[in-house]
Amino acid sequence: MSADVLPSPPVEKHRHHRDVTGGWLRPAVFGAMDGLVSNFALISGVVGGGASSTVVVITGLAGLAAGACSMAAGEYTSVASQTELMQAEIEVEKAELARNPEGELAELTALYRVRGLDAETAEKVAAQISAQPELAWRVHVREELGVDPDDLPSPYVAAISSFTAFAAGAIIPVLPFIFGASGLLVATIVSVLGLLVAGGVVARLTARPWWAGALRQLVLGGLAAAATFGIGSLVGAGLS
């Protein structure tokens, strides 16, 4: 190697960030938590009212099916409506670019000036982008609406994630009764473990301490179960 030729510096690998805008994480997390907490609370209320194990299993499975379908329908409608609104705004932006290209060019130039570019550079960048129609509307959408037009959330992904996650969470407190448990103790232990694990996993996904998420979910789930158990006991005593 020649003395005046320096070796190339090592190429630094770019760290890929986790997807924080996708359509699956929020409904999956919310669905699992909601399924576990709501069905544990539902079963606690039924047991508190003096129901038999058979009634508890039927109630728990009915709660699972109803809740999972409701969550899936709600998530589908919510995400579909959001996506349709985004698509409508994208069409508005395309129409504006076709109707008033000079104004949109000035708007993009001003945006880059606000971002810190000097006037000459901002004008050049905006002009180069505006000269490519397919690139121009995508840049305007990203800069003005704050969304990626090539990665809009899928209502199908949201619905399936929500349904599956809710069912997975909701089945946990029912399992002990399916396998013969007659009291709430085993279901409580299993549900507590499920709440701790689910809360810890969510905390790790969001880079928070696992124990903080685990304890938070345990407290919230415990309060919900205690409230419904108390209501079920009062109603059961009143009807007996």
Side-chain angles (χ1 to χ4, degrees):
M1 181 182 293
S2 174
D4 59 347
V5 177
L6 297 177
S8 300
V11 177
E12 182 180 355
K13 291 184 178 179
H14 180 68
R15 179 181 182 273
H16 292 285
H17 294 283
R18 291 170 292 179
D19 178 16
V20 296
T21 60
W24 69 272
L25 181 58
R26 183 186 65 85
V29 169
F30 181 64
M33 293 299 187
D34 192 29
L36 177 54
V37 172
S38 64
N39 230 26
F40 180 39
L42 175 63
I43 287 173
S44 297
V46 173
V47 172
S52 65
S53 296
T54 301
V55 172
V56 172
V57 171
I58 294 173
T59 302
L61 293 178
L64 182 157
C69 291
S70 176
M71 286 286 294
E75 282 295 331
Y76 179 89
T77 302
S78 174
V79 175
S81 300
Q82 179 187 17
T83 301
E84 289 163 2
L85 175 60
M86 291 178 184
Q87 289 171 337
E89 290 300 313
I90 288 171
E91 293 304 316
V92 169
E93 194 61 41
K94 287 181 179 180
E96 282 295 314
L97 280 166
R99 184 183 64 83
N100 185 21
E102 294 82 6
E104 292 296 305
L105 173 61
E107 187 178 79
L108 192 59
T109 301
L111 188 148
Y112 286 131
R113 291 283 290 128
V114 172
R115 294 287 177 86
L117 298 183
D118 60 70
E120 182 181 359
T121 303
E123 290 174 2
K124 288 181 178 180
V125 172
Q128 289 181 8
I129 291 174
S130 299
Q132 306 173 66
E134 281 299 310
L135 174 61
W137 71 259
R138 284 180 165 82
V139 171
H140 277 273
V141 166
R142 289 189 181 96
E143 296 291 351
E144 296 178 30
L145 302 181
V147 298
D148 185 350
D150 298 315
D151 190 27
L152 296 179
S154 167
Y156 298 102
V157 171
I160 293 171
S161 299
S162 182
F163 182 95
T164 304
F166 186 98
I171 194 64
I172 292 175
V174 185
L175 286 175
F177 294 95
I178 292 176
F179 288 104
S182 57
L184 196 59
L185 178 60
V186 179
T188 299
I189 293 173
V190 172
S191 297
V192 165
L193 292 175
L195 289 168
L196 290 172
V197 171
V201 169
V202 172
R204 296 307 301 161
L205 286 174
T206 56
R208 297 179 65 249
W210 69 267
W211 55 266
L215 290 178
R216 179 178 65 181
Q217 199 57 42
L218 177 61
V219 170
L220 293 175
L223 289 174
T228 53
F229 181 84
I231 294 172
S233 297
L234 291 174
V235 173
L239 295 177
S240 61

